Amino acid sequence: MSNITLKNLVKKYGDGFPAVNDVSLDIADGEFMILVGPSGCGKSTLLRMIVGLEDITSGDLLIGDKRVNDLAPRDRNLAMVFQNYALYPHLTVFENIAFPLRLAKGHHDESDIKKKVNAASAMLDLDEHLERKPGNLSGGQRQRVAMGRAIVRDAEAFLFDEPLSNLDAKLRGQMRTEIARMQRRLGITTVYVTHDQTEAMTLGDRVSVLKKGVLQQCAPPRELYEQPVNLFVAGFIGSPPMNFLPARVEGSTLKTPVADVPVSGELAEKIKGKELVIVGIRPETFKDASLGDTQAQGAVRFTAPVDVTEWLGNEQYAYIPFEADPSVKNKLDELDRDLDGEGMRTQLVVNLDARSRIREGDDAELFFDPALMHVFDPESGECLTRDEEEAARIVEESEADRKRALERARQREGKVTGDVPEDAEAS
Amino acid sequence: METNVSNKVRNWLAAASVPIIIWTVIPLLWILATSLKSDAALADSSQNVLGNFWPKDISWDNYKLIFTGGAKDLFLPALWHSIVVCLSATVISVVLATFCAYAIARLTFPGKKLILTTALGVSFFPVIAMVTPIFNLWRSVGLFDTIPGLIIPYLALTVPLSIWILAAFFQQIPWEMEQAAQVDGATSWQAFRKVIVPLAAPGVFTTAIIAFFTAWNDFVFSLNLTSEHARTVPAALAFFTGASQFTQPTGAICAAAVVVTIPVVILVLLFQKRIVSGLTSGAVKG
Ligand SMILES: Nc1ncnc2c1ncn2[C@@H]1O[C@H](COP(=O)(O)OP(=O)(O)OP(=O)(O)O)[C@@H](O)[C@H]1O
Ligand SMILES: [Mg+2]
């Protein structure tokens, strides 16, 4: 178990295209690090550089305190779960899991191997499948065999490349909690590639957001959500995504297509001299005024026509179309392309309480707390409302949470062994 | 619904394959029937049924002739040479081609295209055009009428073929298999031996059988590059003589032909199970 340090890693493929560009990360011992980003942003490439399947063009990679740039994969002692599992089809499940142990010649005798494989299979609920071939297993079972092969040896770290993307939604949820539990229990450094929002937010101690090979922000999920550094991170994290509204700056007022927002203090300083900014408001920041909930000091009220509503039982979405200012439309379109979007988003998504009586065609009366609003520079995309102190506090808090979780897992491990979850391959 | 459709398709395919089976099987059956005819029956159609096809009285004389009778000295050594030469050529070419095809499928190196094109070019080359130069060369280096002198030209036939088949096979094996093995702690050689070779086994067997047939059926090289110490069965058949000067050796030749077909049939039956494709299923997502 080790920390992993990436220093200015660059990967250029044969055609000179930098798939990973100057990425620096410090992954602490026992930390669960997530790599996310839209398709083709270099997540897999970065992971494969760590494990040694891809040469490093420049920069340093340290595992523990040892520089491993030039070591072969087998000398790095990392365990990887591939997106398509890459099980050995000619070997039984037992032999698949035992494979890394058998390769470490002289380290394990037969009874030792048996013990370790059985321990791994018990943990992953694979006991009755040990003599079967991978070809006869379900997707979830194969996934667990792949994990068994990774956990059976004492690797320095686990690397996962979208391990759940081939499973159906229900199984994905089960395996997700299973992975989280296993990681805490083993307390092993983990790097996990995904493009699934939920996996990124729930599993990670910290999440690294990549865009076109460049690291945008590496922070705990809450900081990414509440204090994004730029437009890209703000738009990428969160589902449904953050609403972006063009806003004209007039004195100390931001004129958005739906409402005028007065600003003051530090933010007013920052936007001084700018003509246009982009305002980002999360869907759940909007509230239905007719429900009579208490409004924060200085809440902004406005009325807007609702185009479509979607009622989901526990919550409700309302869509409010608006006209985007042509001068920022380009920027918003570009952002949309970066985020793999399907077209321009000139509608406001509002996440309402399920009690709300607002229906399509109505004029809804809404309010929001401007303190929860994000303001972005349209040129650089930089977030002008980011609160560094608050961000630092979140980091501290999440670091403490992580340590506590690890501690708890260790204690529980001492008391209970083999609390195997329910069979996960249903459906 | 779906099973109905596929049943229908299956019936059609079965019906369509019947004429093809008849077309290919009749000559073989004819050889078998001829080998079972006595000299008298060969000359006299009234001793046969089904329009001169099947003998009324089955006679094993032709088989006796080639195994214990007058043709024994010609046939038995030839059979032995055939087995030795073809097995050696097959083993060598499959081993060479496995390594070569693996490199072609997995590595990028300059000249990769060239190797593949050359391999293809060599197998297009008419055999008869190679025989004369090789004949002259072998006589001067002392390889004429030796077993290695036959194995080497056979390699020229079988190696390119094997490389092509195996390269296609290796390319089908997901590269992740090997990478997974390497991450699990295998050297490149271990990954090759413990993961790739078992996965490629069906391909290797298919290739081996095809290479074996190619060598086993060769006539031109054997006829021209050997005289008696290495002559294989197809060429030896041409030198069969009848029991007397005035009888044709038709029956004996047919009997020998049946005998040399048997190893081929055995090979196919033995390895039939291993040639089934789809061994890699389950390696990756379903
Ligand atoms: N072998 C290669 N040669 C050249 N370019 C490559 C190669 N492999 C990947 N790339 C490029 O590198 C970039 C990053 O690829 P990578 O596979 O890391 O993306 P990713 O973030 O894993 O995407 P996804 O979510 O789709 O898996 C892509 O733009 C891709 O085109
Ligand atoms: Mg990927």
Side-chain angles (χ1 to χ4, degrees):
Chain A
M1 269 154 254
S2 284
N3 55 323
I4 300 176
T5 312
L6 285 61
K7 283 190 193 153
N8 307 97
L9 281 193
V10 175
K11 171 73 192 181
K12 285 204 170 86
Y13 279 112
D15 48 7
F17 176 79
V20 170
N21 203 347
D22 201 22
V23 170
S24 298
L25 275 179
D26 250 315
I27 305 167
D29 186 7
E31 187 176 24
F32 203 132
M33 173 65 83
I34 306 266
L35 303 177
V36 280
S39 188
C41 69
K43 312 178 289 286
S44 300
T45 307
L46 191 56
L47 196 74
R48 294 164 58 83
M49 283 161 86
I50 297 176
V51 79
L53 295 170
E54 221 56 90
D55 291 333
I56 294 169
T57 310
S58 74
D60 293 313
L61 174 65
L62 284 77
I63 298 177
D65 291 316
K66 199 161 122 224
R67 186 174 181 274
V68 296
N69 279 39
D70 303 316
L71 288 187
R74 72 198 161 91
D75 298 320
R76 298 193 187 187
N77 193 23
L78 302 172
M80 177 154 171
V81 176
F82 288 77
Q83 179 169 4
N84 57 18
Y85 315 145
L87 301 177
Y88 310 120
H90 58 295
L91 300 177
T92 60
V93 169
F94 182 94
E95 286 302 323
N96 260 286
I97 299 177
F99 192 80
L101 299 177
R102 293 206 192 283
L103 283 173
K105 279 235 169 57
H107 289 287
H108 310 281
D109 56 23
E110 198 55 45
S111 66
D112 191 21
I113 291 180
K114 215 169 183 145
K115 210 172 75 208
K116 282 179 185 266
V117 173
N118 285 335
S121 90
M123 184 165 176
L124 294 164
D125 202 12
L126 282 169
D127 283 341
E128 67 258 53
H129 307 299
L130 281 178
E131 292 314 315
R132 299 173 71 191
K133 293 271 174 71
N136 304 330
L137 299 181
S138 73
Q141 289 165 339
R142 284 181 205 179
Q143 211 280 336
R144 279 181 282 152
V145 176
M147 293 216 301
R149 199 171 59 183
I151 64 173
V152 76
R153 67 206 172 108
D154 303 315
E156 303 281 345
F158 285 163
L159 308 175
F160 292 89
D161 191 353
E162 307 203 21
L164 306 182
S165 62
N166 289 324
L167 304 181
D168 60 56
K170 183 165 161 246
L171 201 47
R172 205 178 311 160
Q174 287 170 345
M175 290 309 295
R176 195 177 65 221
T177 45
E178 198 46 35
I179 288 177
R181 194 173 298 147
M182 195 184 76
Q183 197 270 345
R184 288 294 182 225
R185 184 192 292 191
L186 301 173
I188 188 165
T189 317
T190 303
V191 185
Y192 187 106
V193 166
T194 180
H195 57 227
D196 182 287
Q197 286 273 336
T198 329
E199 281 170 35
M201 299 302 268
T202 55
L203 285 175
D205 294 316
R206 279 193 298 159
V207 179
S208 297
V209 184
L210 290 163
K211 172 193 170 190
K212 295 182 182 158
V214 180
L215 179 64
Q216 303 289 312
Q217 186 173 7
C218 171
R222 252 193 76 197
E223 184 189 335
L224 288 184
Y225 196 79
E226 291 174 4
Q227 306 289 340
V229 293
N230 60 23
L231 260 182
F232 178 83
V233 175
F236 188 76
I237 301 290
S239 167
M242 186 185 278
N243 296 298
F244 292 117
L245 298 166
R248 232 162 241 298
V249 182
E250 282 178 16
S252 61
T253 309
L254 292 175
K255 284 195 170 309
T256 73
V258 293
D260 294 349
V261 187
V263 290
S264 58
E266 207 182 328
L267 183 58
E269 285 299 307
K270 282 191 184 158
I271 60 171
K272 198 170 264 172
K274 289 191 174 34
E275 203 177 314
L276 263 169
V277 290
I278 294 174
V279 166
I281 307 175
R282 296 231 175 252
E284 67 275 14
T285 308
F286 294 104
K287 303 270 187 261
D288 181 357
S290 63
L291 291 178
D293 295 340
T294 49
Q295 300 183 14
Q297 190 79 47
V300 176
R301 283 176 82 101
F302 65 96
T303 312
V306 170
D307 184 22
V308 178
T309 56
E310 291 170 351
W311 187 79
L312 300 173
N314 61 336
E315 58 187 3
Q316 176 166 218
Y317 294 122
Y319 297 87
I320 299 168
F322 66 87
E323 281 304 315
D325 197 310
S327 48
V328 283
K329 191 146 172 296
N330 274 346
K331 183 72 192 172
L332 289 176
D333 282 352
E334 185 196 317
L335 176 68
D336 199 42
R337 273 196 304 279
D338 284 347
L339 295 171
D340 288 345
E342 266 117 43
M344 18 169 243
R345 251 183 280 156
T346 56
Q347 61 179 3
L348 212 59
V349 186
V350 177
N351 185 348
L352 295 170
D353 196 297
R355 294 172 296 147
S356 168
R357 303 297 307 158
I358 294 175
R359 291 292 171 266
E360 2 194 298
D362 291 352
D363 268 352
E365 194 169 9
L366 304 168
F367 70 92
F368 66 90
D369 179 2
L372 298 174
M373 166 184 90
H374 305 260
V375 179
F376 302 91
D377 182 330
E379 261 84 59
S380 65
E382 189 199 343
C383 180
L384 303 172
T385 41
R386 186 176 144 86
D387 181 346
E388 294 296 342
E389 276 168 40
E390 173 67 8
R393 203 185 55 71
I394 295 175
V395 170
E396 223 166 83
E397 207 176 87
S398 98
E399 182 62 17
D401 280 350
R402 179 174 82 85
K403 295 231 165 88
R404 255 207 320 279
L406 273 179
E407 195 51 43
R408 245 198 330 268
R410 274 189 199 131
Q411 275 171 9
R412 191 156 357 116
E413 184 66 355
K415 268 186 273 156
V416 203
T417 41
D419 64 315
V420 180
E422 283 300 294
D423 200 342
E425 80 259 15
S427 85
Chain B
M1 271 314 280
E2 201 178 280
T3 53
N4 279 345
V5 171
S6 73
N7 271 340
K8 209 168 150 191
V9 169
R10 195 162 356 142
N11 290 340
W12 269 106
L13 285 176
S17 62
V18 168
I20 299 174
I21 290 173
I22 292 173
W23 175 263
T24 50
V25 156
I26 280 189
L28 295 178
L29 281 181
W30 204 285
I31 292 175
L32 179 67
T34 310
S35 77
L36 295 173
K37 286 176 188 170
S38 62
D39 280 349
L42 273 171
D44 179 6
S45 58
S46 69
Q47 296 190 25
N48 302 322
V49 290
L50 297 173
N52 208 7
F53 176 65
W54 197 260
K56 280 178 186 153
D57 301 307
I58 287 175
S59 134
W60 297 99
D61 286 351
N62 294 318
Y63 291 92
K64 284 187 194 129
L65 182 71
I66 59 169
F67 278 112
T68 56
K72 178 180 117 184
D73 293 334
L74 202 55
F75 181 69
L76 288 184
L79 190 60
W80 175 242
H81 295 152
S82 265
I83 292 171
V84 171
V85 170
C86 296
L87 280 183
S88 319
T90 306
V91 170
I92 297 173
S93 90
V94 166
V95 170
L96 283 182
T98 306
F99 289 129
C100 184
Y102 180 68
I104 287 172
R106 282 297 185 255
L107 309 177
T108 40
F109 54 90
K112 181 167 137 175
K113 270 253 162 63
L114 189 73
I115 292 181
L116 273 178
T117 332
T118 314
L120 196 63
V122 168
S123 38
F124 280 154
F125 228 77
V127 169
I128 197 76
M130 295 194 274
V131 164
T132 315
I134 294 180
F135 174 73
N136 285 327
L137 184 67
W138 269 199
R139 284 222 310 196
S140 48
V141 299
L143 278 174
F144 178 76
D145 199 21
T146 61
I147 288 195
L150 209 48
I151 292 177
I152 295 171
Y154 284 176
L155 288 182
L157 292 182
T158 55
V159 168
L161 193 70
S162 309
I163 289 177
W164 270 88
I165 301 173
L166 279 172
F169 234 89
F170 281 131
Q171 265 151 8
Q172 280 175 8
I173 299 177
W175 201 348
E176 267 108 353
M177 301 269 75
E178 237 175 312
Q179 296 177 335
Q182 287 183 9
V183 173
D184 282 344
T187 59
S188 300
W189 169 246
Q190 282 173 322
F192 177 70
R193 198 168 51 89
K194 298 198 171 184
V195 176
I196 300 303
V197 170
L199 290 184
V204 172
F205 281 113
T206 312
T207 315
I209 286 176
I210 292 173
F212 184 82
F213 290 171
T214 312
W216 188 257
N217 290 336
D218 169 76
F219 175 70
V220 176
F221 280 124
S222 173
L223 186 71
N224 292 287
L225 299 179
T226 60
S227 65
E228 56 185 299
H229 298 300
R231 178 153 287 161
T232 60
V233 174
L237 292 187
F239 293 91
F240 272 19
T241 49
S244 79
Q245 202 182 339
F246 302 105
T247 47
Q248 287 291 325
T250 322
I253 290 177
C254 288
V258 170
V259 171
V260 294
T261 312
I262 289 170
V264 174
V265 174
I266 291 176
L267 262 184
V268 171
L269 290 182
L270 268 185
F271 292 125
Q272 194 183 30
K273 252 180 57 205
R274 315 226 52 166
I275 307 178
V276 290
S277 60
L279 194 75
T280 50
S281 75
V284 297
K285 61 177 163 159

